[in-house]
Amino acid sequence: MSQITPPSPTEESSGGGEPSLKQVMGPGLLLLFIVGDILGTGIYALTGEIAGEVGGAAWLPFAVAFAVALITACSYLELVTKYPQAAGAALYVHKAFGKHLLTFLVCFAVMCSGITSASAASRAFAANLATGFGLDVGNGVILLIALAFMLLVLAVNLRGVGESVKINVLLTAVELSGLLIVILVSLYFILGGNADFSRVVTFETASDKSVFLAVSTATSLAFFAMVGFEDSVNMAEETKNPARIFPRMMFTGLGITGLIYVLVSICAVAVVPVGQLSDSETPLATVVQTAAPGFPISDLLPFISMFAVANSALINMLMASRLLYGMGKQGVLPSFLAKVHPGRRTPQAAIVFTTVIALGLITFVSLSPDSPVVSLLGGTTSLLLLAVFALVNVSVLVLRRESAATEHFSAGRVLPVVGVVTCVYLVLPWSSGRPSGQYEIAGVLLALGLILWVLTWYARRKENADAG
């Protein structure tokens, strides 16, 4: 089994003379990072589509997705408090199985999930900006805005993790305020006796789906709104005393977001008929406009949504770059990805590399503007991550035979097994009800990962031969 020794928290440089990452995140910043990463594109864009799958009981898929996320979060907590290093799931799978190909694919899958999520968010950012300013522009202009936004994210990430996390605090406050506005305005409408609460417990499914399969399909999509908690483990080297603060902040962050999601989905279906909600590209704006027509805040919601998806893009690109940095540092990926800016101490090579991929993906998905980009990329994101989560839950059980030098969180014996079963269930096509397009995108991405792995293996073999 491959053994990787974690660096000392006081080290100022890593192997090869590269400076170490800067520890800037305490409990407050970590909590805001987790909340800000979970809140965002999913709840703002997918509430209507989830209601379209199950009818008024749109809150149920969010609740089930929260339960699945909470179970897997326990496994992540055991591993991040045992191995407080960047690279997250890829590092844990590498320690558990020691198979470089498997590690590479996990790393690539997680990286792709972050980049696909950020790319969808960038496209949504551009669309919300156009809506907010009342711009009647074509697909080409929307694409240019999305690309420009991603370059702005690049600049912020290169500037430093401290600046990135501080901007996350601001954007988290904005997106949280938007969801609270939806809840408060809806409550005003509900207390006025105008809501129809009978819809909240009404299941309306497609004729070819049972209620159980419809809930599974909706949960697979709703899980996109719950992902984000796993990004925080990639920031472990930049967190102060991670073994102590990670469990409390992870559970608190998941609890806050889970409660908000359930409240928002209940309010949405109580205020707006399901058919109207599922047909809307901006479902939460539709809720506010229905509950308080003429209320000025409805005009501000596109801008709030814009900030929300911007936060998703920022944090996902932050995570993807740290993941590649961690794997480059461990020798699983090319060593140039571990290059750190000597002044800013940010993983500059990994940041630029992930941004180039994102720019290409944004351009690709924009070639078909009429396709359901957010739901397709969101579903692919959750598909990739659920497959990774299944491996993480297995890794917890495998790594139990390794003792740790310090105290760490324990997920127990039962939860990791339940985590494996639930994650696999939501991945398989006949149980999850996912559209085939999600598997096609994931297959192409993983095939690309295999090609890159072969090229990396060949390059390293050539280097070793030249050195010999």
Side-chain angles (χ1 to χ4, degrees):
M1 183 182 301
S2 175
Q3 299 293 327
I4 306 174
T5 304
S8 166
T10 59
E11 284 180 352
E12 287 298 321
S13 64
S14 59
E18 288 292 332
S20 63
L21 300 181
K22 190 175 182 180
Q23 292 183 323
V24 298
M25 298 181 70
L29 284 179
L30 181 61
L31 176 60
L32 286 169
F33 185 95
I34 293 170
V35 171
D37 200 7
I38 298 175
L39 296 178
T41 308
I43 187 66
Y44 275 93
L46 297 179
T47 303
E49 294 198 35
I50 291 169
E53 286 288 343
V54 296
W59 55 271
L60 182 58
F62 283 112
V64 176
F66 167 75
V68 175
L70 188 62
I71 291 169
T72 300
C74 291
S75 293
Y76 267 96
L77 284 174
E78 177 167 335
L79 293 170
V80 74
T81 54
K82 194 174 182 180
Y83 310 106
Q85 297 172 253
L91 175 66
Y92 309 145
V93 172
H94 189 65
K95 281 182 171 291
F97 303 103
K99 304 295 183 182
H100 280 266
L101 176 57
L102 181 61
T103 302
F104 188 93
L105 288 176
V106 169
C107 171
F108 198 79
V110 176
M111 182 200 73
C112 287
S113 73
I115 295 176
T116 53
S117 178
S119 300
S122 298
R123 176 77 190 190
F125 175 91
N128 275 289
L129 186 147
T131 301
F133 285 106
L135 303 177
D136 185 15
V137 295
N139 181 53
V141 176
I142 295 294
L143 172 59
L144 290 176
I145 296 173
L147 294 176
F149 168 72
M150 187 53 67
L151 292 175
L152 179 61
V153 172
L154 166 68
V156 172
N157 281 341
L158 286 174
R159 177 74 181 173
V161 68
E163 287 79 1
S164 299
V165 173
K166 288 172 184 174
I167 291 177
N168 166 59
V169 172
L170 173 63
L171 295 179
T172 297
V174 172
E175 63 185 344
L176 184 57
S177 69
L179 295 175
L180 292 177
I181 287 170
V182 172
I183 294 172
L184 292 175
V185 171
S186 297
L187 287 176
Y188 172 79
F189 184 80
I190 291 168
L191 293 175
N194 300 308
D196 183 359
F197 265 104
S198 66
R199 290 195 292 259
V200 176
V201 292
T202 302
F203 284 93
E204 297 175 23
T205 63
S207 58
D208 60 336
K209 287 185 179 180
S210 65
V211 171
F212 193 76
L213 182 59
V215 171
S216 297
T217 303
T219 300
S220 300
L221 190 57
F223 198 81
F224 174 59
M226 287 306 306
V227 300
F229 67 89
E230 79 288 349
D231 287 351
S232 62
V233 302
N234 294 295
M235 308 299 293
E237 286 188 39
E238 293 162 283
T239 302
K240 303 171 185 176
N241 197 358
R244 183 177 64 85
I245 70 172
F246 253 99
R248 286 188 294 115
M249 296 305 102
M250 183 80 82
F251 288 135
T252 303
L254 280 169
I256 291 172
T257 53
L259 178 62
I260 290 175
Y261 281 0
V262 170
L263 288 176
V264 167
S265 56
I266 289 175
C267 289
V269 295
V271 171
V272 181
V274 172
Q276 183 182 347
L277 193 67
S278 61
D279 290 339
S280 174
E281 292 185 6
T282 54
L284 299 192
T286 301
V287 171
V288 174
Q289 290 163 359
T290 302
F295 191 51
I297 196 63
S298 63
D299 297 327
L300 290 178
L301 208 60
F303 294 99
I304 294 174
S305 301
M306 186 174 71
F307 283 114
V309 298
N311 202 26
S312 296
L314 174 64
I315 295 181
N316 275 287
M317 295 305 291
L318 196 68
M319 174 276 296
S321 62
R322 266 55 182 187
L323 189 152
L324 288 189
Y325 157 80
M327 286 292 96
K329 184 178 175 182
Q330 300 297 339
V332 178
L333 292 177
S335 58
F336 80 88
L337 292 171
K339 294 292 183 183
V340 176
H341 190 281
R344 293 289 176 185
R345 289 165 66 182
T346 54
Q348 55 183 1
I351 291 172
V352 172
F353 187 82
T354 52
T355 302
V356 169
I357 296 176
L359 293 173
L361 186 58
I362 293 168
T363 304
F364 174 75
V365 298
S366 296
L367 295 177
S368 300
D370 295 329
S371 65
V373 173
V374 175
S375 63
L376 193 58
L377 289 178
T380 305
T381 300
S382 69
L383 172 63
L384 290 167
L385 286 178
L386 282 164
V388 170
F389 290 171
L391 284 172
V392 169
N393 282 302
V394 173
S395 298
V396 169
L397 301 173
V398 173
L399 291 171
R400 289 275 169 84
R401 59 194 178 198
E402 282 191 9
S403 59
T406 57
E407 266 189 67
H408 60 84
F409 182 87
S410 176
R413 294 180 179 274
V414 177
L415 286 181
V417 176
V418 176
V420 173
V421 173
T422 54
C423 290
V424 170
Y425 178 86
L426 292 174
V427 164
L428 297 176
W430 49 83
S431 56
S432 67
R434 293 176 179 275
S436 60
Q438 295 179 16
Y439 295 97
E440 292 169 2
I441 294 175
V444 170
L445 290 174
L446 292 179
L448 177 60
L450 280 172
I451 293 171
L452 292 176
W453 181 82
V454 170
L455 293 176
T456 303
W457 173 83
Y458 178 78
R460 290 191 177 278
R461 184 180 179 185
K462 191 174 184 299
E463 288 175 6
N464 293 335
D466 293 342

